[in-house]
Amino acid sequence: MSAHKIFYGFVLLSIVAVSAPAASDDKVLSSTDDQADPPVVEKSGYAPQTLDDFFAVLSAAPDEPSAKAAEAQIWRMWNESGSVTVDLLMQRARSAMNKKSYSRALQILDSVIELDPEYAEGWNRRATVHFLMENFGESLGDIQRTIALEPRHFGAISGMAMIFQRIGDDEAALEAYRRVLSIHPFMGDAEKAVEDLADDVEGRGI
């Protein structure tokens, strides 16, 4: 797949999806900003509202459609910076990324991070751009900052796993993918990656 499709209609993940046995470069760290959000309503009739609520729904999801609905709401909330200026800059960065103007996207995202260094998605989006430019060290640095701000960021963790695959550290990649699944149990790319990597990594000692 081409890199311009990066925005996760998931996912990274979200952070993210890299070229490995189970992830594709167009599914890296970001979400689809303009994708309609499916409603999430539990059988009890209670409608989750907070980020913690949606993560609770995600972790307990009985099937993939339920998980995807919760995931979409999580991405929606992650993309809400609370600042009109930051939101506008994020839109401009996305447009630059779609045009493969990665240097321009980096400049814009530098401004986002300068304006709001506590906004996890600014770091995550910049990590995505660095990944697309194959600046893996810079991407990992931004991913680590993303995770420090939002430890449950399955997109960023997935992106980290994909970078580990790119640089040949399959053991670290497997650990990261398993971490993704502990948060998002129906993340298909991570499931497939774990299956493939477990055979290679854990089968070596047999």
Side-chain angles (χ1 to χ4, degrees):
M1 297 183 185
S2 60
H4 73 277
K5 293 182 180 177
I6 181 174
F7 301 105
Y8 183 55
F10 107 133
V11 116
L12 131 108
L13 264 273
S14 355
I15 201 145
V16 172
V18 179
S19 80
S24 57
D25 286 357
D26 61 347
K27 288 184 177 180
V28 188
L29 307 91
S30 299
S31 70
T32 305
D33 294 343
D34 54 1
Q35 183 179 9
D37 297 327
V40 177
V41 179
E42 296 184 351
K43 291 182 179 180
S44 64
Y46 169 73
Q49 297 182 8
T50 69
L51 193 57
D52 288 345
D53 288 342
F54 287 115
F55 269 108
V57 172
L58 179 63
S59 65
D63 51 41
E64 185 173 2
S66 300
K68 292 298 182 183
E71 178 193 296
Q73 295 292 348
I74 290 168
W75 276 113
R76 176 184 61 79
M77 298 183 79
W78 277 343
N79 282 318
E80 293 174 351
S81 71
S83 165
V84 173
T85 301
V86 169
D87 287 347
L88 178 59
L89 289 172
M90 290 291 282
Q91 291 173 12
R92 290 177 177 173
R94 181 171 64 125
S95 178
M97 292 167 71
N98 284 336
K99 296 174 183 176
K100 299 186 180 181
S101 299
Y102 300 138
S103 294
R104 175 58 179 159
L106 281 181
Q107 291 176 346
I108 297 169
L109 292 167
D110 286 346
S111 296
V112 167
I113 290 168
E114 183 176 353
L115 284 169
D116 189 354
E118 301 302 306
Y119 179 44
E121 203 52 37
W123 294 94
N124 184 54
R125 189 70 59 87
R126 195 173 72 173
T128 301
V129 178
H130 277 306
F131 175 82
L132 292 172
M133 298 175 74
E134 299 191 351
N135 300 331
F136 297 138
E138 291 86 345
S139 185
L140 278 174
D142 284 351
I143 288 170
Q144 289 169 353
R145 183 58 182 159
T146 303
I147 296 170
L149 292 166
E150 173 49 88
R152 302 167 296 186
H153 203 301
F154 46 80
I157 300 168
S158 178
M160 179 171 62
M162 290 182 279
I163 291 174
F164 286 146
Q165 283 185 281
R166 278 286 187 93
I167 64 177
D169 192 343
D170 288 350
E171 186 173 354
L174 177 59
E175 181 180 352
Y177 279 125
R178 283 176 168 161
R179 183 176 172 187
V180 170
L181 292 176
S182 72
I183 301 166
H184 188 330
F186 286 94
M187 197 162 172
D189 286 343
E191 290 182 290
K192 181 62 167 61
V194 167
E195 291 178 5
D196 294 340
L197 289 168
D199 288 341
D200 293 337
V201 174
E202 297 173 344
R204 290 172 186 167
I206 300 175

